[in-house]
Amino acid sequence: MKITMVGTGYVGLVTGTCLAESGNEVVCVDKDGAKVAVLESGKVPIYEPGLAELVQRNRRDHRLRFTTNLAEGVSHGQLIFLAVGTPQADDGSADLSALWAVADGIAEHARGPKVVVVKSTVPVGTNRALAERLAKRASVDVASNPEFLKEGAAVDDFMRPDRVVVGVRRPEVGKLLHELYAPFLRTEHPFLVMSPESAEMTKYVANAMLATKISFINEMANLCERMGADVNDVRRGIGHDARIGFQFLFPGSGYGGSCFPKDVRALVAMSRELEMPLRIMEAVDEVNEAQKRVLFRKVRAHFGGELKGKTLAVWGLAFKPRTDDVREAPALVLIDALLAEGAAVRVHDPEALANVKAQYGERLVYCDRPYGALEGADGLAIVTEWQEFRNPDFEVMRRLLRQPVVFDGRNLYEPAALAALGFTYYAIGRSPQPPVA
């Protein structure tokens, strides 16, 4: 099939590239000329495991190309996917200005019947409004096809989806999309056809449920710590209940990224418009924002409320491992609080250093290696659970740190083991461990 993908962020670039990998001819359109130039040179402007190789192979085989020319993209595609940003507005709602601008461009350039597929996360009712807007000037169907990609595993998620959800108003459009996705559904995972409103809602409800599990276990972790319980034991005690399970029950420093915070707040904003406030989701967001400061409170308390003149090392800056995305990252909340108290901060992340430097400039010390961040630091805070942090050389760590203290925002280590090695160890939902004499 001839596919056009409008928008080359995480969703658009991964989706367009994976569709090209299955034999389709894909044109990706983006208004950012610098980004398109990077992609046309064979490079990828984001870190996503496995993506660069797929982009290079499909460009080489002429199944994938990039342009800033929307008219060219509209002319090419039988299916036109919209994967433009819908950032959070000041009131928490989704800003759809980019979507409407692209829709007007499609209406201007469309010749003959087209199917416009909304991949962006948009408020319920956007599909209908978009269809009405386009119907005045073009012959198009509008479908909804929410994405369920995890940053850091997006390529695998697309190639082996748990399910594909589409919202359509005509069965023929559903059949066309089923044909497109058939190569990725050979293991009998479901292709779910529903109304566009249900498809739009499915995306928000999925993210809301996952965010709720994270905020729930974080609140329980804080309570465990106060009551002398170990949240890791509690987590195992409840996770073996098949009704609960273990997924998203790992306490930490809060969730971040481009989806969960934005989508929870958008759902809250939609409910307020209907005068049906979502109390649970409001609490989920509140708990998460508070959780992002838990690690800082542990640091501040350890140093007796006086951080001026102290140096803290921070391992992990991206909002999660296997990405360079720092949007809403808990590490940035910690860094801001440390800087505000007069502390110096030395940071390391395997992929996100450049994105953090773009925000903080020379206010931080950037270290290419994790041990480099420890040199002369009065303590280490771990905020993102990159694999390489799980089995470090603790002897080297103790030698490099001025004070052997670890503030572990992801519960990577066993408290007793760290204490036996001479560290003071703070975790989430577990009692602090002083070093063993």
Side-chain angles (χ1 to χ4, degrees):
M1 293 186 193
K2 293 184 182 295
I3 308 293
T4 295
M5 182 66 56
V6 183
T8 59
Y10 275 96
V11 174
L13 186 56
V14 170
T15 301
T17 302
C18 291
L19 289 174
E21 178 73 5
S22 66
N24 300 290
E25 296 178 32
V26 180
V27 172
C28 291
V29 181
D30 200 291
K31 65 180 181 180
D32 186 338
K35 183 191 287 189
V36 168
V38 167
L39 290 165
E40 277 292 278
S41 72
K43 297 177 182 178
V44 175
I46 58 174
Y47 176 73
E48 183 62 44
L51 181 59
E53 295 87 342
L54 289 181
V55 169
Q56 291 162 6
R57 178 164 65 243
N58 284 283
R59 280 189 68 258
R60 181 196 65 206
D61 294 342
H62 307 292
R63 290 189 299 269
L64 179 65
R65 57 192 174 92
F66 303 92
T67 181
T68 58
N69 190 328
L70 181 60
E72 177 188 348
V74 173
S75 175
H76 167 84
Q78 173 189 8
L79 288 164
I80 303 173
F81 282 80
L82 306 187
V84 299
T86 55
Q88 180 182 308
D90 291 340
D91 63 356
S93 64
D95 180 352
L96 300 181
S97 56
L99 186 81
W100 301 133
V102 170
D104 291 341
I106 292 172
E108 180 181 351
H109 300 295
R111 301 292 181 270
K114 305 279 184 181
V115 176
V116 173
V117 185
V118 182
K119 201 76 177 166
S120 304
T121 301
V122 295
V124 178
T126 301
N127 179 292
R128 183 175 296 279
L130 181 61
E132 291 172 355
R133 189 174 184 129
L134 287 170
K136 297 173 183 177
R137 301 169 59 190
S139 174
V140 298
D141 283 284
V142 180
S144 291
N145 176 213
E147 55 85 17
F148 301 101
L149 307 179
K150 300 185 295 292
E151 288 187 32
V155 171
D156 192 59
D157 283 347
F158 193 94
M159 295 294 195
R160 301 172 184 84
D162 293 327
R163 78 290 199 197
V164 173
V165 172
V166 298
V168 300
R169 301 198 189 281
R170 292 198 306 123
E172 294 82 358
V173 176
K175 289 178 182 177
L176 182 65
L177 289 169
H178 186 267
E179 180 183 346
L180 178 68
Y181 278 106
F184 309 103
L185 298 170
R186 298 179 67 189
T187 53
E188 302 303 321
H189 284 165
F191 181 83
L192 304 174
V193 181
M194 57 189 71
S195 72
E197 290 78 12
S198 295
E200 290 167 334
M201 192 66 178
T202 296
K203 169 64 175 178
Y204 281 108
V205 173
N207 280 353
M209 184 69 241
L210 299 176
T212 300
K213 291 187 75 172
I214 295 170
S215 281
F216 172 80
I217 197 62
N218 282 338
E219 264 205 326
M220 294 303 104
N222 297 339
L223 186 60
C224 283
E225 194 172 323
R226 285 287 186 93
M227 302 184 80
D230 186 323
V231 73
N232 198 46
D233 291 337
V234 174
R235 182 184 65 81
R236 290 187 292 119
I238 66 172
H240 285 290
D241 187 325
R243 297 167 300 176
I244 297 172
F246 284 100
Q247 286 188 312
F248 288 83
L249 280 187
F250 293 90
S253 302
Y255 59 76
S258 63
C259 292
F260 285 6
K262 176 176 70 71
D263 292 352
V264 167
R265 292 167 195 158
L267 199 56
V268 168
M270 282 187 275
S271 73
R272 284 177 179 162
E273 286 184 10
L274 298 172
E275 298 183 349
M276 291 182 61
L278 298 179
R279 301 301 186 201
I280 291 176
M281 301 321 304
E282 291 171 1
V284 165
D285 189 41
E286 279 182 35
V287 168
N288 189 61
E289 290 306 297
Q291 193 70 17
K292 290 181 180 182
R293 294 188 63 84
V294 164
L295 210 56
F296 171 71
R297 289 200 294 271
K298 293 178 185 291
V299 173
R300 197 172 189 278
H302 175 82
F303 290 107
E306 183 53 61
L307 290 174
K308 190 170 185 179
K310 300 295 183 184
T311 298
L312 269 294
V314 177
W315 281 3
L317 305 173
F319 85 93
K320 63 181 286 188
R322 293 169 62 85
T323 181
D324 60 355
D325 193 346
V326 297
R327 287 174 288 184
E328 301 262 3
L332 306 192
V333 176
L334 173 63
I335 290 169
D336 288 342
L338 292 171
L339 292 175
E341 294 274 329
V345 184
R346 301 172 63 85
V347 298
H348 168 75
D349 188 280
E351 297 295 338
L353 283 179
N355 288 340
V356 171
K357 190 169 186 178
Q359 292 191 35
Y360 288 88
E362 302 307 315
R363 299 167 65 198
L364 310 177
V365 176
Y366 304 92
C367 304
D368 293 332
R369 296 177 58 80
Y371 297 125
L374 305 183
E375 295 178 6
D378 295 290
L380 165 65
I382 303 172
V383 194
T384 311
E385 65 274 31
W386 285 91
Q387 249 346 80
E388 65 189 68
F389 300 158
R390 292 184 179 275
N391 290 293
D393 188 324
F394 292 107
E395 173 125 11
V396 171
M397 290 172 62
R398 194 173 65 239
R399 189 167 67 244
L400 290 173
L401 287 166
R402 282 183 193 158
Q403 299 183 42
V405 55
V406 175
F407 305 92
D408 184 355
R410 295 296 169 183
N411 290 359
L412 298 186
Y413 313 128
E414 282 303 314
L418 266 287
L421 291 169
F423 287 87
T424 299
Y425 181 67
Y426 298 89
I428 305 294
R430 313 174 91 173
S431 298
Q433 292 289 314
V436 175

